[in-house]
Amino acid sequence: MLSIIDKYILKRYLATFALMLLLFIPIGIMVNLAEQIGKMIDNEAPLNEILFYYLNFTIYIGSLLFPIFLFLSVIFFTSKLANNTEIVAILSSGVSYGRFLRPYLIGATIIAIIMFFMTMFIVPQASIGFNEFKFKYLKRGKQDRITNNIFNQLNETDFIYVSSFDPARQLGHNFTYERFHRDNKLDFKISAVNIRWVEKDSTYRLTSYVKRKMVGDSAILESKRRLDTIFSFKIDDLTPVSYVAETKNLFELDQFIADQKRKGASNINTYILVKYKRWALPLTAFILTIIAVAVSSVKRRGGMGVNLAFGILVAFVFIFFDKVFGTLAEQSGFSPLLAVIIPNVLFGLLAFYLLQNAKR
């Protein structure tokens, strides 16, 4: 049962958080529009697509900044409570600091649940429209795919490789297709200087085609200057868009990662990192809430400005650690799980330390 104090703090918690979203997201939209309006006009982006883009932009960017908005909103209204000596009055009435913290944890739970469902089901859909518009009108000509040293395992026996791929021309260079028997012996190998998807005929065109068919200990060679043929894979299977994991919901992402592991995708850590970050986001909400309360519940010389300055510093440090470990996971063999755990553990320890000091 919530007490009057619980309802009072919880109401301020949720109202301030909503106000932060309503204030800063429109500012973000205006800044983005001011930066991109020239490209939208030059690339003749339709008005309805622009409006739909900013709807997706609101959801997509809002989800990324959820923890920061949460953190700053808690610091803001808790500092006001401290400056008005309301917290001193609450604690002087016999309420323990842990009991005082309860409505904050309830608020963090509500926000965490909302964040969980948004990041798992709503944000992936918004990510599709956001990224498609960005690469169609704002980053026209720039790569939205991994296009070098592409290796894919189609099934248990078939493997393909291209050294580079041009999505605009649907052209791959140094193509290799290998099929193995169940005993891992080579059945045949197809190689070509180029592979191009001919959409009109729904065929693949191989240039400088060579097929090496193994028969016992000997090989039968077949070569042609050009060959039009069909394969079981789709041209988009060669290079999924770089943001593909962001567009998958909770269930689709697990299946997608399993498929990419089976295929031996070289950038699998990028997809796994997206998954772990989604699951860690609710935990982050609790950690940042505790840090914010511990920092701002004490009345300080300098007032709210000091607390907000400290809060912005902590927010930037958190983003820095998150980006550094995320980049390590994407660009090296660093574990995606550790890349998500380490920043949360470090800030969890910071939250515990600050909380113990605040209780004193």
Side-chain angles (χ1 to χ4, degrees):
M1 189 69 179
L2 295 178
S3 66
I4 294 176
I5 294 176
D6 290 336
K7 292 178 182 178
Y8 176 69
I9 293 176
L10 185 58
K11 181 180 177 181
R12 297 285 296 273
Y13 184 115
L14 298 177
T16 308
F17 177 67
L19 183 63
M20 281 280 183
L21 292 177
L22 292 175
L23 284 176
F24 285 99
I25 288 182
I27 293 173
I29 291 174
M30 296 305 297
V31 171
N32 182 267
L33 182 61
E35 291 179 350
Q36 307 296 350
I37 187 66
K39 293 179 181 178
M40 293 179 185
I41 294 172
D42 292 342
N43 295 322
E44 300 180 349
L47 178 60
N48 63 320
E49 290 193 35
I50 293 175
L51 295 175
F52 190 63
Y53 164 74
Y54 278 109
L55 173 62
N56 292 321
F57 176 90
T58 300
I59 298 172
Y60 183 81
I61 298 300
S63 70
L64 292 179
L65 298 178
F66 245 136
I68 306 305
F69 287 152
L70 175 68
F71 186 59
L72 294 180
S73 63
V74 172
I75 286 182
F76 180 78
F77 87 84
T78 306
S79 295
K80 288 188 69 175
L81 294 179
N83 288 341
N84 295 333
T85 66
E86 293 178 71
I87 295 177
V88 173
I90 292 171
L91 297 178
S92 299
S93 66
V95 176
S96 67
Y97 199 91
R99 179 64 183 81
F100 164 72
L101 195 61
R102 192 177 79 168
Y104 287 94
L105 297 180
I106 294 173
T109 301
I110 295 172
I111 299 299
I113 292 172
I114 294 173
M115 290 170 63
F116 176 82
F117 281 101
M118 282 197 65
T119 55
M120 291 300 186
F121 299 103
I122 299 175
V123 176
Q125 190 62 37
S127 178
I128 298 174
F130 173 79
N131 282 291
E132 285 182 352
F133 183 94
K134 183 171 68 174
F135 283 100
K136 184 177 181 181
Y137 296 110
L138 307 181
K139 293 188 175 183
R140 178 174 286 186
K142 293 188 178 181
Q143 294 180 347
D144 61 343
R145 302 167 184 259
I146 297 172
T147 57
N148 293 312
N149 296 322
I150 301 156
F151 171 84
N152 255 324
Q153 181 176 350
L154 303 177
N155 50 52
E156 292 182 358
T157 60
D158 293 6
F159 302 81
I160 56 175
Y161 171 82
V162 289
S163 62
S164 63
F165 181 75
D166 183 350
R169 300 167 62 196
Q170 296 194 314
L171 174 68
H173 300 282
N174 300 321
F175 170 74
T176 300
Y177 187 119
E178 295 178 326
R179 174 171 293 171
F180 292 84
H181 293 292
R182 297 291 179 180
D183 57 1
N184 291 327
K185 289 185 178 180
L186 182 66
D187 181 15
F188 67 80
K189 177 178 180 179
I190 294 173
S191 59
V193 173
N194 295 321
I195 179 172
R196 181 191 296 274
W197 172 247
V198 183
E199 189 172 359
K200 180 179 67 174
D201 301 324
S202 298
T203 59
Y204 292 94
R205 178 164 294 165
L206 303 179
T207 305
S208 299
Y209 161 86
V210 176
K211 180 177 181 180
R212 181 186 180 193
K213 173 69 175 177
M214 302 302 299
V215 180
D217 294 329
S218 59
I220 301 174
L221 294 179
E222 175 188 353
S223 62
K224 293 184 179 181
R225 187 178 64 84
R226 193 182 79 178
L227 175 69
D228 290 348
T229 186
I230 59 174
F231 290 114
S232 59
F233 61 87
K234 298 177 181 179
I235 194 68
D236 285 340
D237 290 340
L238 289 174
T239 56
V241 290
S242 56
Y243 54 85
V244 63
E246 297 178 7
T247 66
K248 306 292 183 182
N249 63 36
L250 171 62
F251 308 109
E252 293 170 343
L253 184 58
D254 285 338
Q255 183 60 51
F256 175 74
I257 291 174
D259 290 341
Q260 293 302 305
K261 283 183 177 179
R262 178 179 56 81
K263 292 178 179 180
S266 58
N267 56 331
I268 188 67
N269 276 2
T270 302
Y271 308 142
I272 297 175
L273 184 65
V274 171
K275 174 183 175 180
Y276 288 148
K277 279 190 174 183
R278 288 185 186 178
W279 282 102
L281 203 55
L283 176 62
T284 302
F286 284 96
I287 293 173
L288 293 181
T289 295
I290 294 172
I291 292 176
V293 175
V295 167
S296 56
S297 61
V298 179
K299 190 173 183 178
R300 303 176 189 276
R301 183 178 299 175
M304 189 186 304
V306 174
N307 290 337
L308 285 174
F310 181 81
I312 292 171
L313 175 63
V314 171
F316 275 109
V317 172
F318 180 81
I319 293 173
F320 173 77
F321 273 88
D322 183 65
K323 290 295 183 183
V324 166
F325 285 102
T327 302
L328 283 175
E330 291 176 350
Q331 304 296 332
S332 68
F334 194 76
S335 167
L337 181 59
L338 288 178
V340 173
I341 288 177
I342 290 175
N344 282 284
V345 168
L346 291 176
F347 279 81
L349 293 173
L350 176 63
F352 179 79
Y353 171 77
L354 293 174
L355 188 60
Q356 295 305 309
N357 282 350
K359 286 180 178 180
R360 299 193 192 107

